[in-house]
Amino acid sequence: MGPIGKLKLGQNPLAKTTIAAAAAVFILMNFIVIASAADGPKLEIFPSQKVQRKAVGQAMILTCRPNVPSPNLVSDLTWKDNMNNTILPKPHQIYQPVYDSKGHRIRQNTGRQPPMFTEYMAGTDSLALIINHLSVEMEGKYYCTASYATNEILETSVTVKTYVGITWTNAPENQNPILGEDYVVRCEVKADPTPTIDWLRDGDPIRTSEKYVVETNGLLIRNVQESDDGIYTCRAAVLETGELVERTIRVEVYSRPVITYLPDTLEATEGKPFSANCTATGKPVPEISWIKDSTHQNVAAADRFQVNPLTGVLNINSVTQDDYGTYTCLAKNDAGMVDKKTKLNVLITPSIHYLYNVTGDSGKEIALTCRSKGRPAPEITFRRWGSDDEYAAGTQEEDPRVILEQHFDEEKGESSGTLRISGAQRSDDGLYQCLARNTGGTAYATGHITVQFPPDFSHMKDLPPVFSWEERKVNLTCLAMSIPNATIEWRWNGKPLKDINDKNLEIIGTGPRSDLIVHPVARQYYSVYKCVATNILGTSEIDIQLKEARVPEPVPAAQPKQLTATSITFDIRSPPVEFGMPITAFTVQYKEATNPDWATAMNRSWSPDSPYIVEGLKPQTMYHFRFAARNQVGLGMWGVNTQQSTPKRSAPEEPKPLHSPVQNDIEEPVVVSPYSDHFELRWSVPADNGEPIDFYQVKYCPGVKMAGTWHELENQCQSVEVADSTSYEMSRLAGNTYYRIELRAHNIIGFSSPASVIMKTTRGIDVIQMAERQVLSSASIVGIAVGGVLLLLFIVDLLCCVTINMGVMASMCRRTKRSPSEIDEEAKLGSPNGWRFPKPNCSGQLVKEPPPSPLPLPPPVKLGGSPMVSPSDEKQPLQTPTESIKQNSTVEFDGKFVHSRSGEIIGKNSAV
């Protein structure tokens, strides 16, 4: 039987894995035809080589299988080692779980397997010898023996030879030489037999040169540079065994640290946070530390200090005098270490230790004093709270009443400042901020100047009277402005209210605010009440009037301002009102003139600042209207009984575009599109005048202005109908071009008057700037275009006539040569050159439309008669000539104004 093949196992494989692999080998063997027993009974060892060469430390499996006619007669199948000792089977082990059901370890997995053992392969008659870890001592000859038919001994052997594989002893995969120095890339290996070593970089062999020297223990690189970064390959080979192993080594060049920034002197301020920076370069990025020289302490471990080892930033939360001294910045990486020294000076920030609030009377002098300490002695100034403007030393130019006095004591490090205000006023009352400033910083403190003044009711002079009605309780509030606070007393009819025992008059509070609750159960309570405020500086009083409120007077006038077939807008004049009792709403009642009962009339209310529009009316109907005003008390009396008839149904009012034109020149205003190739037109819904609007017509034409006259390019006009929308986006527009847009609304009666907008697109990025030149007039352009087209047609027709005897000139020549009978016959049947047939061109094919002219052509000239109009072309009702019938006056509403026009509007059922 031939060899099955070698089974290569990894280092220290598990027994189960080895057995499974061996079982797979024997399953494959079952598909091989067993050789006949003609050679006689014998034992076979797989792999079949007589000498098995394996590296020390590897695992191996040898399988012994009887090749006999009757396998059931085989007994005592045994393996013997190189010392002729019988190799025992693998001992049976009882499974004990290492972990419990919750995943907790309950015992140590101390199970060990013997170095070699035998095991029967499942489903076969083979006995496997399994060696988990091959050693040098296991080298030698191994025997497999068995008994056959009780009297025949079968035996075979295999020789196991070992060798020491290639092992790396000193070959780190990452190595870091120092920039500018010589370095040996280490690669030491052992094997038996001795291996040979060679080097490669990026796949190319490295030879000994001025730059590289291949040594026994590695590769010497002279004067290392950053360009020596890369991947190096150390290759070890054993020629006797054919073993070849490669080691990939990543070489990254490091550079020693260098401190690039650290000032020689640093200044910090006592009590303030401080930050200093020590910058260093190197590869890898150096780790930076700060050392205080006087204590030899790394300040990163001290309180109040923080050091960022990557950026070198030193932060001190709050500087003290003890922080003064010399510090060393130390930068260190794997390539080396460097240091540099600096000195830290500590400044004393200002501190304000004296500032008290002051109080003074109006008209007298007030002084606010502030004292501070610091080194150098701080400069002291003041400013009003909320203002950035500081008072200057001496008299203030803006207000001579204010003087700032300053005093300094450099020896003691003290200073003071006094703000004096003569003739104090109420406006001087408020918060003042003292600022003490030196090179170490600025200190702030806030004091208050209180200016005392007698009671004042100037803030209540313009307040309206207080109103009440239907015996409702009302609150009369009196607030006196004064320092110190004033005491409030109420008087009525010259008597103090505290002396009047009236349960309908209740006083709450005695100052500086006091409320008088009045329950006006009788008309006598609608009167004037006096509030008297008193403090140590004087007395002031104010009268508060309580009035009885009433409903508004009748509306004096209401005139129709705008009319449509279904709505009327009124101009309502408000009745006179009392100060403090404004009109809150206007109400209208309206009914048809044929309805005598106002109880069934319709109602509509408006706020005073809204348009007064009555909607949902019937066309051509007479209505009666009456108006009333409403305030907090209620609805006033009805007034202004008037009647008004709505006009008949008509075309919609003119829609209003929702765009704000810009007056950018002396011409009419222009709407500027934010885009160069499209524009969205938006408009508001106009009044439909009795018939619903079914669509809007948008027409837009490009054009130019020449000599102050608008010239449209009619052959480029586009017209669209928009339904169920109040916007339309015009696309594929030309950049930097003017367009005239006409917008009309349509209902079943007809079109509204057009709303016109001039729109200009922006200049696109593909627009080419051209130099200005003399522009021809529109008449000249049209004349040149028409002349050019006619001349081109004449030349084409002349060529057709000369070459193929076809065209207009050829037809005229043939017509002059025909008999009268032929002419009459053609008139009956219709000429091939008439309107019934298309005119052939010189090639005999139909004439194609000429390409559009780059310049606008004049509109076609109508030669007498009435043009034929198909029903599908009719967009507006026919107009009745004014000379044929009597003219009627119609009223139309455009959403803003009422227009009176002559002539009758044909309705939707008009016959045409």
Side-chain angles (χ1 to χ4, degrees), residues 170-185:
N170 183 15
E173 295 182 348
N174 293 281
Q175 301 188 38
N176 306 108
I178 306 301
L179 181 68
E181 300 180 4
D182 294 346
Y183 181 81
V184 176
V185 182

Side-chain angles (χ1 to χ4, degrees), residues 489-498 500 502 504-505 516 518 522-531 544:
E489 181 186 43
W490 288 93
R491 296 179 183 179
W492 185 34
N493 297 328
K495 298 181 181 179
L497 282 182
K498 63 182 180 180
I500 302 176
D502 191 336
N504 296 317
L505 300 174
L516 175 62
V518 181
R523 293 195 58 81
Q524 65 182 10
Y525 292 99
Y526 293 100
S527 178
V528 176
Y529 297 84
K530 187 180 294 294
C531 173
I544 301 177

Side-chain angles (χ1 to χ4, degrees), residues 647-670:
K648 64 170 60 177
R649 292 179 175 86
S650 62
E653 296 300 318
E654 178 182 315
K656 302 299 180 185
L658 302 178
H659 299 279
S660 300
V662 179
Q663 190 79 28
N664 56 355
D665 52 23
I666 61 175
E667 306 294 342
E668 57 186 303
V670 175

Side-chain angles (χ1 to χ4, degrees), residues 535-555:
N535 70 358
I536 58 175
L537 300 179
T539 300
S540 182
E541 60 184 35
I542 188 173
D543 292 335
I544 301 177
Q545 186 177 12
L546 176 61
K547 287 187 175 183
E548 184 177 8
R550 296 180 175 83
V551 297
E553 298 292 328
V555 175

Side-chain angles (χ1 to χ4, degrees), residues 622-881:
M622 180 65 73
Y623 285 91
H624 286 181
F625 299 89
R626 62 180 185 178
F627 299 84
R630 179 184 296 274
N631 62 9
Q632 294 180 357
V633 181
L635 187 66
M637 297 180 60
W638 295 105
V640 195
N641 291 327
T642 183
Q643 61 182 12
Q644 180 64 48
S645 176
T646 56
K648 64 170 60 177
R649 292 179 175 86
S650 62
E653 296 300 318
E654 178 182 315
K656 302 299 180 185
L658 302 178
H659 299 279
S660 300
V662 179
Q663 190 79 28
N664 56 355
D665 52 23
I666 61 175
E667 306 294 342
E668 57 186 303
V670 175
V671 175
V672 179
S673 171
Y675 307 100
S676 63
D677 59 348
H678 65 279
F679 173 70
E680 183 182 13
L681 178 68
R682 294 174 287 107
W683 60 87
S684 59
V685 179
D688 58 14
N689 285 337
E691 291 293 342
I693 296 174
D694 49 10
F695 67 87
Y696 298 90
Q697 184 187 66
V698 179
K699 179 182 179 183
Y700 53 100
C701 305
V704 296
K705 278 190 176 181
M706 293 184 295
T709 305
W710 176 264
H711 296 275
E712 295 181 358
L713 306 181
E714 295 186 359
N715 60 332
Q716 299 184 24
C717 291
Q718 298 190 43
S719 180
V720 294
E721 294 182 356
V722 181
D724 302 329
S725 179
T726 56
S727 65
Y728 174 72
E729 182 172 305
M730 298 176 290
S731 59
R732 298 183 179 179
L733 304 179
N736 196 29
T737 304
Y738 288 90
Y739 286 84
R740 178 183 290 277
I741 305 173
E742 288 188 353
L743 173 65
R744 297 194 295 177
H746 181 273
N747 61 13
I748 196 170
I749 298 177
F751 282 97
S752 68
S753 58
S756 180
V757 174
I758 300 296
M759 184 272 296
K760 180 180 180 297
T761 57
T762 58
R763 183 182 300 274
I765 60 174
D766 56 347
V767 175
I768 300 176
Q769 297 281 359
M770 299 185 66
E772 296 184 358
R773 53 188 176 88
Q774 187 66 30
V775 180
L776 298 176
S777 65
S778 59
S780 301
I781 295 175
V782 172
I784 293 173
V786 173
V789 172
L790 293 178
L791 179 60
L792 180 61
L793 293 176
F794 176 77
I795 295 173
V796 172
D797 188 72
L798 179 60
L799 293 175
C800 290
C801 178
V802 173
T803 57
I804 59 175
N805 197 22
M806 295 185 68
V808 177
M809 298 180 65
S811 177
M812 293 175 61
C813 292
R814 289 194 298 268
R815 184 180 295 274
T816 58
K817 299 177 181 179
R818 287 180 296 174
S819 63
S821 60
E822 292 175 346
I823 298 174
D824 294 338
E825 190 67 17
E826 187 178 275
K828 294 177 182 180
L829 299 177
S831 172
N833 295 318
W835 64 273
R836 295 179 184 269
F837 301 93
K839 179 181 178 180
N841 61 7
C842 298
S843 64
Q845 300 177 352
L846 296 181
V847 177
K848 298 182 179 179
E849 293 183 0
S853 172
L855 297 177
L857 297 178
V861 180
K862 297 181 180 179
L863 303 176
S866 300
M868 297 180 62
V869 180
S870 65
S872 62
D873 295 333
E874 182 177 332
K875 296 297 182 62
Q876 297 185 7
L878 299 179
Q879 301 294 330
T880 304

